[in-house]
Amino acid sequence: MNPKTEVDSPARIGNSNQFGRGFLSTMSLLTFVVLVAIVSVEHSRQSLATAFDEGYGRAWTIFPWIVAGGRTIANGLRAFSGEPLNIPSNTAQLTALASLLLGFVICPTVYLFRWRDRHLRNVATSTHEHLTLPGLFFNYFTIVTLFLCIAIVPVATFGEFVRSSIRSAQAVQTNKDNMINDLDAIVVDLQQYRILPKSLGGGDGSCIGYNLAPGFAQTRNGVYSITVEKEKAVIVGRSLLFPSSSIKVELDAKGLELRQAKAGMVHGGPWHWMYEGKFL
């Protein structure tokens, strides 16, 4: 007698669960991990803000380098002002290290080895979707690994954008400072010309007749021109690195007498400084 083989009827199939086994547990775990990620990113932002005032703080975050960057900036400001550096505690350092190890070493390693094991044994994924501790851990590692793989692209792009912006701002400020030094030298030369008698090639109390020497007319920082009257002078410098940026200095009689004024520091009075373009 042949054993009876049961065949699922269409009605029985229709009454079966429409979701695969482990679907609810996977979705629950996914929701939990997303909430943890949101809280962790928010904690990173708060830790970065707190790092400037209260110290390193707790470093448990998906992106611990955000907190470390904030601490580095804060320590740089403290060192510049002569204050002692705020060194993070051993607990904070170990927590940051644990964040890096868990997110970028343990999770990807477990996920890749588990995936390789399944592939070699040719086991269907659906058979491993039971609500078991290994299955939950594998799902967790999978979600964290995929989240980091997706998140690291915009994070790296944004980081490169910030670094590029900082380098550009530093280049602009350096060029501006160098042009201010060039204008300082031109003003000093003009003042010397003004006080010298005409027998020595000066203006004998007047700015009329002053011309920029070749070394002053153009430097590696910018191109300069000057318009003079008897008791007034206007010097304009245009940047060679940033052609849309320029600095203009206007001096009256009192300004021509003032020898200790610092260029770029006096924006009114006898020295009038005006900036255009990226120098604003």
PDB file of all heavy atoms in Angstrom, residues 81-105:
ATOM      1  N   SER A  81      44.284  80.290  22.727  1.00  0.00           N
ATOM      2  CA  SER A  81      43.990  81.256  23.790  1.00  0.00           C
ATOM      3  C   SER A  81      44.812  81.026  25.048  1.00  0.00           C
ATOM      4  O   SER A  81      44.633  81.724  26.039  1.00  0.00           O
ATOM      5  CB  SER A  81      42.496  81.198  24.142  1.00  0.00           C
ATOM      6  OG  SER A  81      42.132  79.909  24.591  1.00  0.00           O
ATOM      7  N   GLY A  82      45.703  80.025  25.029  1.00  0.00           N
ATOM      8  CA  GLY A  82      46.567  79.774  26.174  1.00  0.00           C
ATOM      9  C   GLY A  82      45.961  78.909  27.242  1.00  0.00           C
ATOM     10  O   GLY A  82      46.539  78.748  28.329  1.00  0.00           O
ATOM     11  N   GLU A  83      44.808  78.288  26.983  1.00  0.00           N
ATOM     12  CA  GLU A  83      44.170  77.423  27.966  1.00  0.00           C
ATOM     13  C   GLU A  83      44.692  75.995  27.826  1.00  0.00           C
ATOM     14  O   GLU A  83      45.148  75.592  26.753  1.00  0.00           O
ATOM     15  CB  GLU A  83      42.650  77.446  27.782  1.00  0.00           C
ATOM     16  CG  GLU A  83      42.028  78.813  27.973  1.00  0.00           C
ATOM     17  CD  GLU A  83      40.527  78.784  27.760  1.00  0.00           C
ATOM     18  OE1 GLU A  83      39.982  77.669  27.623  1.00  0.00           O
ATOM     19  OE2 GLU A  83      39.909  79.862  27.734  1.00  0.00           O
ATOM     20  N   PRO A  84      44.628  75.205  28.911  1.00  0.00           N
ATOM     21  CA  PRO A  84      45.100  73.818  28.816  1.00  0.00           C
ATOM     22  C   PRO A  84      44.181  72.980  27.931  1.00  0.00           C
ATOM     23  O   PRO A  84      42.972  73.246  27.836  1.00  0.00           O
ATOM     24  CB  PRO A  84      45.054  73.333  30.276  1.00  0.00           C
ATOM     25  CG  PRO A  84      44.046  74.224  30.943  1.00  0.00           C
ATOM     26  CD  PRO A  84      44.184  75.558  30.272  1.00  0.00           C
ATOM     27  N   LEU A  85      44.757  71.971  27.302  1.00  0.00           N
ATOM     28  CA  LEU A  85      43.979  71.107  26.422  1.00  0.00           C
ATOM     29  C   LEU A  85      43.049  70.218  27.233  1.00  0.00           C
ATOM     30  O   LEU A  85      43.351  69.820  28.354  1.00  0.00           O
ATOM     31  CB  LEU A  85      44.912  70.247  25.569  1.00  0.00           C
ATOM     32  CG  LEU A  85      45.894  70.990  24.665  1.00  0.00           C
ATOM     33  CD1 LEU A  85      46.701  70.002  23.837  1.00  0.00           C
ATOM     34  CD2 LEU A  85      45.174  71.975  23.765  1.00  0.00           C
ATOM     35  N   ASN A  86      41.918  69.910  26.637  1.00  0.00           N
ATOM     36  CA  ASN A  86      40.934  69.037  27.275  1.00  0.00           C
ATOM     37  C   ASN A  86      41.126  67.628  26.716  1.00  0.00           C
ATOM     38  O   ASN A  86      40.674  67.313  25.626  1.00  0.00           O
ATOM     39  CB  ASN A  86      39.516  69.547  27.009  1.00  0.00           C
ATOM     40  CG  ASN A  86      38.500  68.921  27.939  1.00  0.00           C
ATOM     41  OD1 ASN A  86      38.721  67.836  28.448  1.00  0.00           O
ATOM     42  ND2 ASN A  86      37.399  69.608  28.157  1.00  0.00           N
ATOM     43  N   ILE A  87      41.810  66.784  27.467  1.00  0.00           N
ATOM     44  CA  ILE A  87      42.116  65.424  27.011  1.00  0.00           C
ATOM     45  C   ILE A  87      40.945  64.505  27.342  1.00  0.00           C
ATOM     46  O   ILE A  87      40.457  64.496  28.469  1.00  0.00           O
ATOM     47  CB  ILE A  87      43.397  64.900  27.679  1.00  0.00           C
ATOM     48  CG1 ILE A  87      44.545  65.892  27.449  1.00  0.00           C
ATOM     49  CG2 ILE A  87      43.752  63.524  27.127  1.00  0.00           C
ATOM     50  CD1 ILE A  87      44.878  66.127  25.998  1.00  0.00           C
ATOM     51  N   PRO A  88      40.448  63.724  26.381  1.00  0.00           N
ATOM     52  CA  PRO A  88      39.332  62.815  26.666  1.00  0.00           C
ATOM     53  C   PRO A  88      39.747  61.720  27.639  1.00  0.00           C
ATOM     54  O   PRO A  88      40.898  61.294  27.676  1.00  0.00           O
ATOM     55  CB  PRO A  88      38.980  62.239  25.290  1.00  0.00           C
ATOM     56  CG  PRO A  88      40.222  62.407  24.480  1.00  0.00           C
ATOM     57  CD  PRO A  88      40.874  63.660  24.972  1.00  0.00           C
ATOM     58  N   SER A  89      38.780  61.257  28.411  1.00  0.00           N
ATOM     59  CA  SER A  89      39.040  60.201  29.385  1.00  0.00           C
ATOM     60  C   SER A  89      39.261  58.867  28.676  1.00  0.00           C
ATOM     61  O   SER A  89      38.947  58.701  27.488  1.00  0.00           O
ATOM     62  CB  SER A  89      37.863  60.081  30.349  1.00  0.00           C
ATOM     63  OG  SER A  89      36.692  59.696  29.644  1.00  0.00           O
ATOM     64  N   ASN A  90      39.805  57.895  29.429  1.00  0.00           N
ATOM     65  CA  ASN A  90      40.018  56.563  28.859  1.00  0.00           C
ATOM     66  C   ASN A  90      38.705  55.919  28.454  1.00  0.00           C
ATOM     67  O   ASN A  90      38.628  55.197  27.447  1.00  0.00           O
ATOM     68  CB  ASN A  90      40.754  55.679  29.866  1.00  0.00           C
ATOM     69  CG  ASN A  90      42.179  56.144  30.106  1.00  0.00           C
ATOM     70  OD1 ASN A  90      42.807  56.753  29.223  1.00  0.00           O
ATOM     71  ND2 ASN A  90      42.711  55.879  31.286  1.00  0.00           N
ATOM     72  N   THR A  91      37.654  56.177  29.233  1.00  0.00           N
ATOM     73  CA  THR A  91      36.347  55.608  28.896  1.00  0.00           C
ATOM     74  C   THR A  91      35.842  56.141  27.565  1.00  0.00           C
ATOM     75  O   THR A  91      35.334  55.385  26.724  1.00  0.00           O
ATOM     76  CB  THR A  91      35.336  55.943  30.005  1.00  0.00           C
ATOM     77  OG1 THR A  91      35.823  55.443  31.251  1.00  0.00           O
ATOM     78  CG2 THR A  91      33.977  55.343  29.690  1.00  0.00           C
ATOM     79  N   ALA A  92      35.993  57.453  27.349  1.00  0.00           N
ATOM     80  CA  ALA A  92      35.555  58.045  26.083  1.00  0.00           C
ATOM     81  C   ALA A  92      36.364  57.499  24.914  1.00  0.00           C
ATOM     82  O   ALA A  92      35.823  57.231  23.839  1.00  0.00           O
ATOM     83  CB  ALA A  92      35.673  59.562  26.152  1.00  0.00           C
ATOM     84  N   GLN A  93      37.668  57.319  25.101  1.00  0.00           N
ATOM     85  CA  GLN A  93      38.505  56.790  24.023  1.00  0.00           C
ATOM     86  C   GLN A  93      38.138  55.348  23.696  1.00  0.00           C
ATOM     87  O   GLN A  93      38.053  54.960  22.529  1.00  0.00           O
ATOM     88  CB  GLN A  93      39.970  56.881  24.421  1.00  0.00           C
ATOM     89  CG  GLN A  93      40.476  58.314  24.607  1.00  0.00           C
ATOM     90  CD  GLN A  93      41.957  58.362  24.939  1.00  0.00           C
ATOM     91  OE1 GLN A  93      42.760  57.625  24.380  1.00  0.00           O
ATOM     92  NE2 GLN A  93      42.328  59.243  25.850  1.00  0.00           N
ATOM     93  N   LEU A  94      37.900  54.529  24.748  1.00  0.00           N
ATOM     94  CA  LEU A  94      37.519  53.131  24.528  1.00  0.00           C
ATOM     95  C   LEU A  94      36.148  53.041  23.864  1.00  0.00           C
ATOM     96  O   LEU A  94      35.922  52.166  23.018  1.00  0.00           O
ATOM     97  CB  LEU A  94      37.521  52.373  25.860  1.00  0.00           C
ATOM     98  CG  LEU A  94      38.904  52.143  26.489  1.00  0.00           C
ATOM     99  CD1 LEU A  94      38.766  51.486  27.857  1.00  0.00           C
ATOM    100  CD2 LEU A  94      39.793  51.302  25.583  1.00  0.00           C
ATOM    101  N   THR A  95      35.237  53.937  24.225  1.00  0.00           N
ATOM    102  CA  THR A  95      33.908  53.932  23.617  1.00  0.00           C
ATOM    103  C   THR A  95      33.994  54.280  22.135  1.00  0.00           C
ATOM    104  O   THR A  95      33.333  53.664  21.295  1.00  0.00           O
ATOM    105  CB  THR A  95      33.000  54.932  24.337  1.00  0.00           C
ATOM    106  OG1 THR A  95      32.989  54.648  25.732  1.00  0.00           O
ATOM    107  CG2 THR A  95      31.581  54.848  23.807  1.00  0.00           C
ATOM    108  N   ALA A  96      34.811  55.275  21.799  1.00  0.00           N
ATOM    109  CA  ALA A  96      34.988  55.639  20.390  1.00  0.00           C
ATOM    110  C   ALA A  96      35.626  54.495  19.606  1.00  0.00           C
ATOM    111  O   ALA A  96      35.230  54.201  18.472  1.00  0.00           O
ATOM    112  CB  ALA A  96      35.834  56.898  20.279  1.00  0.00           C
ATOM    113  N   LEU A  97      36.607  53.823  20.215  1.00  0.00           N
ATOM    114  CA  LEU A  97      37.243  52.678  19.562  1.00  0.00           C
ATOM    115  C   LEU A  97      36.247  51.545  19.361  1.00  0.00           C
ATOM    116  O   LEU A  97      36.231  50.894  18.309  1.00  0.00           O
ATOM    117  CB  LEU A  97      38.435  52.201  20.399  1.00  0.00           C
ATOM    118  CG  LEU A  97      39.191  50.979  19.849  1.00  0.00           C
ATOM    119  CD1 LEU A  97      39.766  51.277  18.469  1.00  0.00           C
ATOM    120  CD2 LEU A  97      40.300  50.571  20.813  1.00  0.00           C
ATOM    121  N   ALA A  98      35.402  51.309  20.369  1.00  0.00           N
ATOM    122  CA  ALA A  98      34.388  50.257  20.241  1.00  0.00           C
ATOM    123  C   ALA A  98      33.405  50.573  19.119  1.00  0.00           C
ATOM    124  O   ALA A  98      32.967  49.677  18.387  1.00  0.00           O
ATOM    125  CB  ALA A  98      33.644  50.084  21.573  1.00  0.00           C
ATOM    126  N   SER A  99      33.060  51.856  18.952  1.00  0.00           N
ATOM    127  CA  SER A  99      32.167  52.250  17.861  1.00  0.00           C
ATOM    128  C   SER A  99      32.781  51.934  16.501  1.00  0.00           C
ATOM    129  O   SER A  99      32.116  51.399  15.613  1.00  0.00           O
ATOM    130  CB  SER A  99      31.862  53.746  17.953  1.00  0.00           C
ATOM    131  OG  SER A  99      31.232  54.055  19.173  1.00  0.00           O
ATOM    132  N   LEU A 100      34.066  52.254  16.350  1.00  0.00           N
ATOM    133  CA  LEU A 100      34.741  51.973  15.083  1.00  0.00           C
ATOM    134  C   LEU A 100      34.848  50.469  14.822  1.00  0.00           C
ATOM    135  O   LEU A 100      34.610  49.998  13.707  1.00  0.00           O
ATOM    136  CB  LEU A 100      36.128  52.611  15.086  1.00  0.00           C
ATOM    137  CG  LEU A 100      36.170  54.138  15.006  1.00  0.00           C
ATOM    138  CD1 LEU A 100      37.601  54.632  15.187  1.00  0.00           C
ATOM    139  CD2 LEU A 100      35.624  54.621  13.675  1.00  0.00           C
ATOM    140  N   LEU A 101      35.209  49.714  15.849  1.00  0.00           N
ATOM    141  CA  LEU A 101      35.358  48.263  15.684  1.00  0.00           C
ATOM    142  C   LEU A 101      34.028  47.607  15.348  1.00  0.00           C
ATOM    143  O   LEU A 101      33.956  46.734  14.470  1.00  0.00           O
ATOM    144  CB  LEU A 101      35.947  47.652  16.954  1.00  0.00           C
ATOM    145  CG  LEU A 101      37.413  47.988  17.260  1.00  0.00           C
ATOM    146  CD1 LEU A 101      37.833  47.370  18.581  1.00  0.00           C
ATOM    147  CD2 LEU A 101      38.317  47.494  16.134  1.00  0.00           C
ATOM    148  N   LEU A 102      32.971  48.006  16.039  1.00  0.00           N
ATOM    149  CA  LEU A 102      31.674  47.390  15.796  1.00  0.00           C
ATOM    150  C   LEU A 102      31.141  47.740  14.415  1.00  0.00           C
ATOM    151  O   LEU A 102      30.670  46.857  13.678  1.00  0.00           O
ATOM    152  CB  LEU A 102      30.664  47.841  16.864  1.00  0.00           C
ATOM    153  CG  LEU A 102      29.237  47.321  16.701  1.00  0.00           C
ATOM    154  CD1 LEU A 102      29.218  45.798  16.802  1.00  0.00           C
ATOM    155  CD2 LEU A 102      28.316  47.934  17.741  1.00  0.00           C
ATOM    156  N   GLY A 103      31.209  49.012  14.045  1.00  0.00           N
ATOM    157  CA  GLY A 103      30.608  49.433  12.788  1.00  0.00           C
ATOM    158  C   GLY A 103      31.414  49.087  11.555  1.00  0.00           C
ATOM    159  O   GLY A 103      30.838  48.774  10.507  1.00  0.00           O
ATOM    160  N   PHE A 104      32.759  49.121  11.670  1.00  0.00           N
ATOM    161  CA  PHE A 104      33.582  48.999  10.473  1.00  0.00           C
ATOM    162  C   PHE A 104      34.459  47.748  10.446  1.00  0.00           C
ATOM    163  O   PHE A 104      35.167  47.532   9.466  1.00  0.00           O
ATOM    164  CB  PHE A 104      34.464  50.241  10.326  1.00  0.00           C
ATOM    165  CG  PHE A 104      33.685  51.483  10.041  1.00  0.00           C
ATOM    166  CD1 PHE A 104      33.218  52.278  11.068  1.00  0.00           C
ATOM    167  CD2 PHE A 104      33.385  51.839   8.746  1.00  0.00           C
ATOM    168  CE1 PHE A 104      32.490  53.415  10.817  1.00  0.00           C
ATOM    169  CE2 PHE A 104      32.653  52.980   8.471  1.00  0.00           C
ATOM    170  CZ  PHE A 104      32.197  53.769   9.516  1.00  0.00           C
ATOM    171  N   VAL A 105      34.428  46.942  11.497  1.00  0.00           N
ATOM    172  CA  VAL A 105      35.214  45.709  11.503  1.00  0.00           C
ATOM    173  C   VAL A 105      34.327  44.496  11.769  1.00  0.00           C
ATOM    174  O   VAL A 105      34.240  43.575  10.951  1.00  0.00           O
ATOM    175  CB  VAL A 105      36.346  45.778  12.562  1.00  0.00           C
ATOM    176  CG1 VAL A 105      37.125  44.460  12.579  1.00  0.00           C
ATOM    177  CG2 VAL A 105      37.288  46.933  12.265  1.00  0.00           C
TER     178      VAL A 105
END
